[in-house]
């Protein structure tokens, strides 16, 4: 006799059957609706793109796959391209945008678009619009008629959808792993740049009766996030890689954060000058925690102008190496001071304030004569640069860029310096003043011995103060160098010896007859050095500053032009005495040899 099935299981069986039956109906209906609606969807998408862009863009794709139960769809082999003929018409009507976009991708995914809300409420609300691995090319051509336009559409896109929908909202538009190419068409020849591994998220894109006039929105968007990871770019001369570990940007806050930026040489110190073919400065730059605040995104999108209220750099290393055993490249460097180069940038740059914190800077040179490396360092550099801009041609703009910096020479002597750069000067006018205080002179042997063949035996630098006004041709001002108990030794390189050896007699003469041991002197007299130094056309900005201060240092320690002439005369005198002595010895030896021959 068959076992009786409990009533509750019979009920469950019927419920499961009904659910399965309804599911099959829904799946079938969804399939039928999607098949029937595909041509309509294709037509509406195509027309919507054309109408909302005044015919500037058209969209092409191969297939549409929809699932009305899950509210998802995919569009395959998508190409969005501009119509260049329509663009020319818009240019003539002064309605063309500054940027044209070309977008190509294998698949565009639409997630959770709520089909029943579309049908019954006439509202399109999409959770996610995903562009996966797209190729995007942006072509920029600046038009004056777009200047000062607000970041909103000229005409509300709502006019193009109001007959179909009350609103169209996309909560997230994601561009993942973008390959992006930027083409600058503002010069005679196009300038092309490209990046990969770019992610862009557009938040809350809304088209309704009010969104086009919403001042809290940027081109109908509430916000934009941008992320760039592991970016590497080979410089045009193939000597460096520019690297960015991670870059994050948020439009609503106007903030950019770069975790790590690098300018990395592609060749070792030994091979860099060999590949370049001449003695060239080799830079290694590693900067961390770079923040930019208050970025004007519309200005960058429309004209590629970088405008920010503040930039901060916390922690970094800048190391420069030069091997002067290779020939120098004699190149005219007039007009290439920092503020002059800033004015020569093609794109407009304005950063109101740049804050620096804990930056270590060093310069190392391998000297041909001494066959040794000399190094000077400026450690824990902090300070601020204000009004870094090339937008000074406007009469009301501030023409002075200023830098106030504090650093520690060789990690010990405090350097406080102020620069003022005249951004409008045709001759590169600038001024700098400051002082180095409390530095043991022996700390400088790391650079004076290999590069100057001078050893500081002892001496305390109390203050090296300077006040200089200059342009690209000449520097004038004064240097006040206060020091105590200074003593030096002059060095030379001898064949077969790795170390430099002391020039005994000349060192004694230098300390006894020329070099001041104290300034002020024992009787209280202070020597202030007037400055008048003419720059060589091949001299760089930093070489100009160094040579100007060096002139003041020499004068302050007693090496005036008159003393240098005396030194040369004394050296010539001693060299003649040495030659005469050697000649007497030679003649004496000849007489001895002659006498020995006669005795045989």
């Amino acid at each position: 006799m068959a076992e009786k099935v409990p009533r509750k299981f019979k009920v469950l069986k019927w419920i499961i059957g009904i659910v399965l039956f309804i599911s099959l109906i829904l799946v079938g209906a969804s399939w039928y609706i999607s098949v029937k609606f595909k041509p309509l969807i294709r037509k509406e998408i195509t027309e919507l793109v054309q109408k909302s862009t005044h015919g500037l863009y058209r969209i092409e794709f191969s297939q549409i796959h929809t699932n009305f139960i899950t509210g998802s769809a995919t569009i395959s082999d998508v190409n969005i391209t501009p119509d260049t003929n329509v663009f020319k018409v818009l240019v003539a009507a002064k309605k063309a945008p500054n940027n044209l976009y070309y977008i190509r991708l294998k698949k565009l995914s639409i997630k959770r678009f709520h089909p029943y809300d579309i049908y019954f409420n006439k509202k399109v609300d999409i959770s996610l619009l995903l562009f996966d691995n797209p190729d995007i090319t942006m072509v920029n051509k600046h038009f004056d008629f777009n200047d000062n336009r607000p970041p909103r559409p000229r005409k509300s896109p709502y006019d193009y959808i109001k007959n179909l929908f009350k609103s169209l909202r996309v909560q997230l538009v994601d561009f993942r792993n973008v390959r992006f190419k930027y083409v600058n068409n503002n010069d005679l020849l196009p300038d092309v740049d490209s990046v990969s591994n770019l992610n862009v998220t557009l938040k809350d894109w809304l088209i309704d009766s009010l969104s086009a006039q919403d001042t809290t929105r940027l081109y109908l968007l509430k916000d934009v996030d941008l992320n760039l990871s592991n970016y590497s770019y080979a410089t045009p001369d193939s000597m460096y890689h520019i690297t960015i570990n991670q870059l994050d940007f948020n439009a609503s806050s106007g903030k950019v954060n770069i975790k790590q930026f690098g300018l990395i040489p592609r060749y070792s110190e030994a091979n860099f000058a060999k590949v370049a073919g001449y003695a060239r400065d080799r830079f290694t730059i590693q900067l961390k925690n770079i923040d930019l605040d208050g970025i004007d995104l519309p200005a960058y999108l429309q004209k590629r102008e970088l405008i920010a209220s503040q930039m901060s750099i916390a922690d970094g290393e800048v190391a420069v190496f030069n091997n002067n055993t290779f020939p120098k490249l004699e190149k005219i460097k007039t007009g290439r001071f920092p503020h002059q180069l800033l004015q020569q940038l093609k794109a407009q740059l304005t950063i109101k304030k740049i804050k620096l914190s804990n930056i270590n800077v060093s310069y190392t040179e391998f000297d041909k004569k001494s066959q040794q490396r000399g190094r000077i360092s400026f450690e824990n550099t902090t300070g601020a640069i204000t009004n870094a801009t090339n937008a000074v041609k406007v009469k009301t703009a501030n023409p002075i860029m200023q830098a106030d910096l504090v650093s520690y020479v060789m990690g010990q002597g405090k350097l406080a310096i102020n620069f003022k750069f005249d951004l409008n000067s045709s001759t590169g006018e600038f001024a700098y003043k400051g002082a180095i205080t409390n530095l043991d002179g022996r700390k400088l042997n790391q650079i004076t011995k290999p590069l100057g063949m001078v050893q500081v035996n002892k001496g305390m630098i109390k203050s090296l103060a300077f006040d200089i006004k200059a342009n690209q041709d000449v520097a004038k001002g004064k240097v006040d160098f206060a020091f105590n108990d200074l003593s030096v030794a002059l060095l030379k390189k001898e064949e077969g010896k790795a170390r430099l050896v002391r020039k005994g007699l000349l060192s004694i003469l230098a300390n006894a007859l020329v070099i001041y041991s104290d300034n002020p002197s024992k009787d209280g007299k202070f020597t202030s050095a007037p400055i008048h130094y003419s720059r060589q056309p091949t001299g760089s900005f930093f070489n100009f500053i160094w040579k100007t201060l060096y002139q003041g240092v020499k004068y302050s320690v007693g090496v005036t032009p008159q003393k240098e002439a005396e030194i040369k005369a004394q050296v010539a005198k001693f060299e003649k005495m040495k030659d005469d002595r050697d000649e007497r010895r030679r003649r004496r030896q000849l007489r001895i040899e002659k006498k020995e021959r006669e005795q045989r």
Side-chain angles (χ1 to χ4, degrees):
M1 185 176 175
E3 187 177 353
K4 188 176 180 181
V5 179
R7 178 182 176 85
K8 62 180 180 179
F9 287 111
K10 287 184 178 180
V11 172
L12 180 62
K13 179 179 176 182
W14 278 104
I15 291 173
I16 293 172
I18 291 170
V19 169
L20 287 174
F21 178 71
I22 293 173
S23 298
L24 286 173
I25 291 175
L26 288 175
V27 170
S30 175
W31 174 84
Y32 176 78
I33 293 171
S34 66
V35 170
K36 294 290 289 183
F37 276 84
K38 276 182 183 179
L40 178 61
I41 293 172
R42 177 186 293 272
K43 180 175 179 293
E44 291 295 339
I45 291 175
T46 303
E47 289 184 358
L48 183 61
V49 169
Q50 286 187 325
K51 287 180 180 179
S52 62
T53 63
H54 300 279
L56 180 57
Y57 287 94
R58 60 176 179 269
I59 184 170
E60 297 174 346
F61 47 89
S62 60
Q63 291 182 320
I64 301 174
H65 300 278
T66 58
N67 188 325
F68 284 95
I69 294 177
T70 61
S72 63
T74 58
I75 305 175
S76 304
D77 302 316
V78 180
N79 277 292
I80 301 173
T81 54
D83 187 322
T84 54
N85 291 324
V86 173
F87 182 68
K88 290 176 183 178
V89 173
L90 292 174
V91 170
K94 296 186 177 182
K95 295 182 179 180
N98 285 351
N99 298 313
L100 285 180
Y101 296 90
Y102 297 78
I103 302 175
R104 179 168 54 87
L105 70 158
K106 275 290 182 184
K107 185 173 70 173
L108 169 61
S109 300
I110 305 170
K111 304 290 186 182
R112 297 180 294 279
F113 57 80
H114 312 294
Y116 298 103
D117 203 29
I118 296 172
Y119 182 78
F120 290 107
N121 299 320
K122 302 297 182 182
K123 290 183 178 180
V124 181
D125 195 342
I126 298 170
S127 296
L128 175 66
L129 196 60
L130 175 61
F131 293 75
D132 201 8
N133 290 290
D135 284 297
I136 300 176
T137 298
M138 184 174 87
V139 181
N140 178 268
K141 175 69 176 177
H142 172 244
F143 298 108
D144 291 338
F145 53 76
N146 282 328
D147 287 350
N148 302 316
R149 280 196 60 233
R152 295 185 289 277
R154 290 179 184 272
K155 184 179 179 181
S156 173
Y158 180 68
D159 293 339
Y160 303 106
I161 70 165
K162 62 184 180 182
N163 292 330
L164 294 172
F165 308 113
K166 294 178 181 178
S167 65
L168 169 60
R169 167 174 259 142
V170 183
Q171 295 176 23
L172 288 179
V173 182
D174 249 357
F175 293 84
R176 295 182 187 170
N177 297 317
V178 178
R179 292 175 295 275
F180 181 81
K181 181 188 292 183
Y182 177 87
V183 181
N184 183 356
N185 269 347
N186 293 295
D187 298 313
L188 293 176
L189 295 174
D191 182 22
V192 180
D193 195 7
S194 61
V195 296
S196 298
N197 303 320
L198 179 66
N199 297 300
V200 181
T201 301
L202 312 179
K203 296 182 178 180
D204 193 14
W205 183 62
L206 174 64
I207 299 177
D208 65 11
S209 59
L210 301 175
S211 62
Q213 301 304 316
D214 187 346
T215 56
T216 67
R217 291 182 177 273
L218 179 75
Y219 301 111
L220 305 176
L221 297 161
K222 270 294 184 182
D223 212 346
V224 178
D225 286 333
L226 185 146
N227 169 266
L228 178 63
S229 300
N230 301 320
Y231 171 72
S232 181
Y233 168 71
T235 58
D237 61 5
S238 298
M239 301 301 288
Y240 295 93
H241 277 121
I242 294 174
T243 63
I244 294 177
N245 173 265
Q246 182 173 323
L247 180 151
D248 294 291
F249 168 70
N250 176 259
S252 61
S253 65
K255 289 186 176 182
V256 168
N257 173 260
I258 300 173
K259 286 193 174 180
Q260 187 168 322
F261 169 87
L263 179 67
I264 311 300
R266 300 180 67 179
Y267 305 98
S268 66
E269 288 183 351
N271 292 327
F272 192 83
K274 187 183 296 184
V275 174
Y278 61 94
R280 176 180 174 180
D281 285 343
R282 176 185 182 270
F283 290 85
T284 303
I285 300 175
Q286 289 278 11
L287 302 176
K288 299 177 182 178
N289 301 318
I290 303 172
D291 291 309
L292 284 97
D293 295 334
I295 289 180
D296 187 339
L297 182 59
Y300 187 80
L301 290 175
Q302 291 176 13
K303 296 182 285 186
R304 214 186 187 189
E305 295 179 356
L306 179 56
I307 301 173
S309 59
Q310 182 170 291
M311 180 178 183
S312 301
I313 305 174
D315 305 321
E317 302 279 342
V318 178
V320 186
F321 175 80
N322 192 292
N323 186 345
N324 70 21
T325 61
F326 287 82
K328 291 185 178 181
L329 181 65
E330 296 296 333
K331 185 177 180 181
I332 301 298
K333 295 178 181 177
T334 301
R336 298 187 62 79
F337 287 179
H339 55 311
Q340 293 175 313
L341 292 173
L342 179 60
Q343 302 312 304
Q344 294 169 21
L345 290 177
K346 294 178 181 178
Q348 183 175 319
L349 170 69
T350 297
I351 302 177
K352 295 178 182 179
K353 188 175 185 179
I354 302 173
K355 294 174 64 178
L356 305 175
S357 176
N358 193 30
I359 309 296
N360 296 325
V361 182
S362 66
Y363 177 80
T364 304
E365 185 172 308
F366 185 84
D367 187 69
K368 181 178 182 180
K369 188 175 180 180
S370 69
Q371 291 294 296
Q372 293 186 8
R373 295 162 64 100
R375 181 178 182 273
I376 187 169
S377 64
F378 301 87
E379 300 174 23
N380 193 24
T381 303
T382 60
I385 301 169
T386 55
N387 197 39
T389 181
N390 55 7
V392 294
K393 294 182 179 179
V394 180
K395 293 182 179 179
T396 56
N398 177 13
I400 302 299
M401 179 174 70
Q402 184 165 307
D404 291 283
L405 305 172
V406 174
S407 189
Y408 292 85
V409 181
M410 298 300 192
Q412 185 191 71
K414 183 178 179 180
L415 167 63
I417 187 168
N418 167 267
F419 285 96
K420 290 183 179 178
F421 301 93
D422 188 341
L423 302 175
N424 276 334
S425 173
S426 60
T427 57
E429 292 183 13
F430 70 103
Y432 59 101
K433 65 186 299 185
I436 301 172
T437 53
N438 300 322
L439 175 65
D440 186 337
R442 291 172 295 182
K443 287 280 187 179
L444 297 176
N445 282 330
Q446 293 182 45
I447 190 168
T448 61
K449 287 175 64 177
L451 305 187
M453 306 291 254
V454 175
Q455 175 178 295
V456 180
N457 295 327
K458 59 181 179 177
M460 186 67 188
I461 298 172
K462 295 170 65 178
S463 175
L464 174 59
F466 45 87
D467 189 352
I468 310 293
K469 290 181 173 58
N471 58 32
Q472 63 190 16
D473 301 313
V474 66
K476 299 177 182 179
K478 70 171 184 173
V479 169
D480 290 333
F481 185 20
F483 55 89
N484 290 117
D485 204 21
L486 179 64
S487 173
V488 301
L490 307 182
L491 307 175
K492 63 180 178 180
K493 176 73 175 174
E494 287 190 352
E495 284 294 329
K497 293 187 177 181
R499 297 179 63 185
L500 300 174
V501 296
R502 189 171 181 266
K503 292 181 179 180
L505 182 58
L506 288 178
S507 296
I508 293 171
L509 284 171
N511 288 302
L513 303 177
V514 180
I515 304 297
Y516 301 151
S517 61
D518 300 278
N519 191 28
S521 62
K522 300 296 184 184
D523 59 5
K525 182 183 177 182
F526 185 82
T527 300
S528 182
I531 297 298
H532 191 289
Y533 180 78
S534 296
R535 172 185 158 271
Q536 295 296 319
T538 55
S540 68
F541 175 75
F542 291 104
N543 176 270
F544 186 27
I545 290 176
W546 157 246
K547 289 291 181 69
T548 300
L549 295 179
Y550 182 57
Q551 184 187 73
V553 169
K554 286 200 306 178
Y555 191 99
S556 298
V557 300
V559 187
T560 62
Q562 295 80 5
K563 284 289 186 179
E564 284 190 288
E566 290 180 23
I567 292 172
K568 290 179 181 178
Q570 288 288 348
V571 169
K573 180 180 178 180
F574 279 104
E575 290 291 339
K576 187 176 186 307
M577 290 172 61
K578 181 177 178 295
D579 291 342
D580 291 345
R581 184 185 59 191
D582 292 341
E583 180 62 21
R584 288 195 299 271
R585 287 177 178 173
R586 188 184 69 81
R587 289 177 180 177
R588 187 183 304 116
Q589 184 64 32
L590 288 174
R591 287 196 299 270
I592 292 171
E593 291 175 355
K594 182 180 179 182
K595 187 175 181 179
E596 288 176 348
R597 286 195 301 269
E598 289 174 350
Q599 289 178 350
R600 294 191 195 116

